[in-house]
Amino acid sequence: QVQLVQSGTEVKEPGASVKVSCKASGYSFMANCLHWVRQAPGRGPEWMAWMCPYRVETFSANQFEGRLSLSSDRSADTAYMEMSGLTSDDTAVYFCARGSGSYDWRRLDYWGQGTLVTVSS
Amino acid sequence: DIHLTQSPSFLSASVGDRVTITCRASQGIGSALVWYQQKPGMAPKLLIFAASTLHSGVPSRFSGSGSGTEFTLTISSLQPEDFATYYCEQFNTYPATFGQGTKVEIK
């Protein structure tokens, strides 16, 4: 079955960077793009970016430009999301999710369990 | 960015009730609308995509409709496990955006 397993809880100081991993199994890692979504405490989800391992292409929402880096290790079926310049506003649960479909049929059909990132001094 | 507005933000209902949630887009998005269910401490779970296509394994009491700027999610007979928060998401134009959510609670 499709599974996305993320790395564990992180606590970071303001200004630091964080790197979250997302290991995929149960499907061909190269066949789907992976999306990153975050959810601040008590808030709705916020879409951040996508990365497609098969064409080494990424796209990020404007607000994350310059401090978000997406990568993958195809030999380990693992995607990574690294964010720099953390502030308290970045405190959230970060999810990876598998993208499927195209055009009007796009959706996020499988999600990781989430990684809590707390930014605090 | 395309803005999605859900209504209501909160609703109180009983087991067996028919429930309808609306999602309005700030501009036309065709049928590129997805519905998720989220329970506390869990990741969102896909219910419906392309406005009206039921994801595999999702009970048939869930249905979606709409196109353009107005969409609805209907639960025909609310079950105890359906008490959760529901979000719409548009994939017509990146960045994808979510609605603010509708929390369905037990009356």
Side-chain angles (χ1 to χ4, degrees), chain A residues 35 37 39 42-48 50 59-63 95 103-114, chain B residues 29-34 36 38 42-44 46 49-50 53 55 87 89 91-100:
Chain A
H35 296 240
V37 174
Q39 190 168 26
R43 305 287 300 273
E46 177 183 26
W47 185 87
M48 299 174 65
W50 56 252
F59 180 90
S60 304
N62 285 344
Q63 67 206 77
F95 296 99
Y103 301 104
D104 282 8
W105 286 268
R106 284 178 286 195
R107 68 271 191 189
L108 303 179
D109 56 0
Y110 293 92
W111 294 63
Q113 83 277 18
Chain B
I29 59 170
S31 297
L33 197 283
V34 181
Y36 301 95
Q38 188 178 32
M42 305 291 288
L46 175 64
F49 61 95
T53 302
H55 180 54
Y87 295 97
E89 181 188 23
F91 267 111
N92 177 265
T93 306
Y94 284 111
T97 48
F98 287 85
Q100 83 282 9

Side-chain angles (χ1 to χ4, degrees), chain A residues 63-74:
Chain A
Q63 67 206 77
F64 301 108
E65 286 286 335
R67 65 187 195 106
L68 186 65
S69 175
L70 303 183
S71 60
S72 66
D73 178 349
R74 287 182 264 179

Side-chain angles (χ1 to χ4, degrees), chain B residues 55-104:
Chain B
H55 180 54
S56 174
V58 174
S60 59
R61 64 181 179 272
F62 291 92
S63 63
S65 65
S67 67
T69 61
E70 188 152 336
F71 302 85
T72 59
L73 171 70
T74 299
I75 309 172
S76 60
S77 177
L78 202 63
Q79 297 302 300
E81 60 268 30
D82 301 337
F83 292 95
T85 302
Y86 294 84
Y87 295 97
C88 57
E89 181 188 23
Q90 68 80 22
F91 267 111
N92 177 265
T93 306
Y94 284 111
T97 48
F98 287 85
Q100 83 282 9
T102 297
K103 187 172 184 179
V104 178

